[in-house]
């Protein structure tokens, strides 16, 4: 099958209690495509960078089966730049700098050959741009998934609600789910959010795993207990990429298969946090990934027979 990812391809500068980076490669679509490439070999991307973006990363994406006809390179302009600093708990962070640069006037042009795309992942971007992509696809994909963040809830809530009414699956974290719904209980929040449009909702809870909601069903996946989390940047995007890559490669959108896709996404996210930026994701093998999926299977596996006397 095919997976189209739309999102930022960017530079990041990250500060954690363990260290600090200069400008390194980041961006939601970068993490999503890298993660999805462990499963889906037929990928496309719609994104924009400036002429400062390194060819080496473009080559890496291409060598992993990502078609780059939809990547616009704007001569004389700068790539999106984001900088963040993590608190000691490594779960919360402050955004220090957001320089939109090429993203400010991003027109997501869909190459004609991308029109028949079965799976669409709308990475974190302005909800107007996400909506435009859905409208520009003449044939509706089998599953449209989307990520967003509190930044867009603060400045573009009405646009965000319109986009939400057009998609199937929203993937956000617990803090975002609470802000979007106004509910502190995640179960109540899931009902409010699903009433806005998406039939499926995944709420990521960082080191506490993730929840999948659909109709009356709930699935809870663990996160791998790690001794050290080095840099959580991109873990959410990596999770989404692993999830959608698995769904696209198996071409199965049943609730049962979504459970497996969540484990695939969680396994890749657990690698992402072990090094700064995309470093770990670009250095693990297919069998590293498969072994980690097995670790997840063992982690959550138990038998129980209980009978009251
Ligand atoms: P995550 O840690 O999964 O939330 O994603 C971090 C990535 O999102 C970084 O690599 C940033 O480049 C990118 N990012 C941060 N803010 C934005 C934004 N407002 N729009 C698009 N991408 C962003």
């Amino acid at each position: 099958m095919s997976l189209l990812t739309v999102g930022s391809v960017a530079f990041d500068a990250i500060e954690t209690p363990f260290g600090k980076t200069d400008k390194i490669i980041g961006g939601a679509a970068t993490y999503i495509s890298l993660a999805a490439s462990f499963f889906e070999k037929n990928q496309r991307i719609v994104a924009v960078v400036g002429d400062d973006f390194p060819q080496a990363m473009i080559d890496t994406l291409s060598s992993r089966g990502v078609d780059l006809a939809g990547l616009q390179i704007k001569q004389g302009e700068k790539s999106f730049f984001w900088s963040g600093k993590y608190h000691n708990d490594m779960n919360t962070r402050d955004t220090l700098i957001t320089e939109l640069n090429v993203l400010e006037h991003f027109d997501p042009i869909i190459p004609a050959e991308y029109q028949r795309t079965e799976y669409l992942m709308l990475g974190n971007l302005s909800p107007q741009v996400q909506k435009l992509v859905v409208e520009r696809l003449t044939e509706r994909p089998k599953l449209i998934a989307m990520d967003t963040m509190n930044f867009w809830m603060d400045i573009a809530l009405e646009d965000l609600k319109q986009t939400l009414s057009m998609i199937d699956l929203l993937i956000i974290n617990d803090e975002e789910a609470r802000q979007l719904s106004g509910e502190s209980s995640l179960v109540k929040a899931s009902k409010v959010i699903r009433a806005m449009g998406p039939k499926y909702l995944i709420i990521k809870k960082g080191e506490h795993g993730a929840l999948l909601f659909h109709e009356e069903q709930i699935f809870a996946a663990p996160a791998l207990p790690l001794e050290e989390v080095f840099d959580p940047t991109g873990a959410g995007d990596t999770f989404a990429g692993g999830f959608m890559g698995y769904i696209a490669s198996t071409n199965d959108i049943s609730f049962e298969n979504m459970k497996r896709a969540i484990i695939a996404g969680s396994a890749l996210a657990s690698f992402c946090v072990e090094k700064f930026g995309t470093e770990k994701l670009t250095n693990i093998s297919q069998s590293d990934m498969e072994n980690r999926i097995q670790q997840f299977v063992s982690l959550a596996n138990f038998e129980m027979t209980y009978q009251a006397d």
Side-chain angles (χ1 to χ4, degrees), residues 8 10 12 26-28 31 80 82 93 124 149 151-152 232-237:
S8 52
D12 293 344
Y31 285 104
F80 175 74
W82 174 84
R93 71 183 177 203
N124 180 22
M149 71 189 294
F151 180 77
W152 304 115
T233 309
D237 305 312

Side-chain angles (χ1 to χ4, degrees), residues 7-12 25-28 31 80-82 86 93 95 98 100 103 124-126 147 149 151-152 173 176 204 232-238:
S8 52
V9 172
F11 287 118
D12 293 344
I25 289 165
Y31 285 104
F80 175 74
F81 173 62
W82 174 84
Y86 288 85
R93 71 183 177 203
T95 289
T98 300
L100 289 177
L103 273 190
N124 180 22
L125 264 188
S126 116
D147 182 17
M149 71 189 294
F151 180 77
W152 304 115
N173 69 32
E176 292 157 351
K204 299 167 289 175
T233 309
D237 305 312
T238 301

Side-chain angles (χ1 to χ4, degrees), residues 22-288:
D22 289 328
K23 274 191 178 182
I24 57 170
I25 289 165
T30 313
Y31 285 104
I32 292 167
S33 304
L34 283 174
S37 71
F38 284 88
F39 301 103
E40 178 56 59
K41 302 298 171 209
N42 185 3
Q43 281 199 73
R44 297 99 191 255
I45 199 168
V46 166
V48 62
V49 289
D51 61 8
D52 52 355
F53 198 75
Q55 186 62 36
M57 190 41 142
I58 297 178
D59 294 342
T60 300
L61 288 170
S62 159
S63 71
R64 287 168 171 254
V66 183
D67 182 299
L68 294 157
L71 179 70
Q72 303 171 36
I73 302 175
K74 297 278 180 194
Q75 295 305 319
E77 291 187 45
K78 283 163 77 178
S79 302
F80 175 74
F81 173 62
W82 174 84
S83 167
K85 181 176 176 175
Y86 288 85
H87 301 162
N88 280 338
D89 66 3
M90 293 296 265
N91 270 330
T92 47
R93 71 183 177 203
D94 295 325
T95 289
L96 303 177
I97 304 170
T98 300
E99 281 176 17
L100 289 177
N101 299 328
V102 284
L103 273 190
E104 195 169 352
H105 302 292
F106 177 37
D107 181 18
I109 298 164
I110 318 271
E113 64 272 27
Y114 288 10
Q115 277 300 346
R116 225 166 256 130
T117 289
E118 285 91 0
Y119 294 92
L120 172 63
M121 177 67 220
L122 298 167
N124 180 22
L125 264 188
S126 116
Q128 293 102 313
V129 172
Q130 292 174 318
K131 180 170 163 234
L132 214 51
V133 172
V134 178
E135 287 170 348
R136 284 180 180 177
L137 287 173
T138 46
E139 220 169 280
R140 195 182 193 281
K142 278 179 86 167
L143 188 78
I144 303 178
M146 140 178 183
D147 182 17
T148 188
M149 71 189 294
N150 41 12
F151 180 77
W152 304 115
M153 295 172 201
D154 292 338
I155 68 163
L157 186 60
E158 282 319 304
D159 290 318
L160 179 61
K161 285 187 175 167
Q162 273 190 30
T163 311
L164 283 173
S165 72
M166 301 163 79
I167 61 137
D168 304 302
L169 163 66
L170 179 67
I171 306 177
I172 50 176
N173 69 32
D174 42 3
E175 196 187 313
E176 292 157 351
R178 291 192 169 105
Q179 178 169 347
L180 184 58
S181 64
E183 292 285 352
S184 57
S185 146
L186 292 181
V187 177
K188 282 188 183 163
S190 84
K191 290 183 180 154
V192 174
I193 294 170
R194 284 180 291 152
M196 295 175 182
K199 297 183 286 295
Y200 299 89
L201 172 69
I202 293 178
I203 301 182
K204 299 167 289 175
K205 300 190 297 156
E207 61 178 327
H208 304 297
L211 296 170
L212 166 67
F213 296 89
H214 174 58
E215 295 174 346
E216 295 308 312
Q217 307 178 85
I218 305 179
F219 172 65
L224 195 68
L226 293 170
E227 229 166 90
E228 250 177 24
V229 172
F230 197 73
D231 169 24
T233 309
D237 305 312
T238 301
F239 172 93
F243 179 94
M244 284 303 279
Y246 185 86
I247 292 286
S249 71
T250 50
N251 191 24
D252 174 355
I253 57 170
S254 66
F255 190 78
E256 281 308 305
N257 201 47
M258 284 193 185
K259 292 182 185 176
R260 293 186 277 271
I262 286 196
I263 299 302
S266 305
L268 287 168
S270 75
F271 281 118
C272 175
V273 302
E274 289 180 354
K275 288 267 163 73
F276 271 125
T278 55
E279 192 184 338
K280 188 82 186 192
L281 271 190
T282 46
N283 281 304
I284 54 167
S285 65
Q286 201 74 18
S287 70
D288 291 331

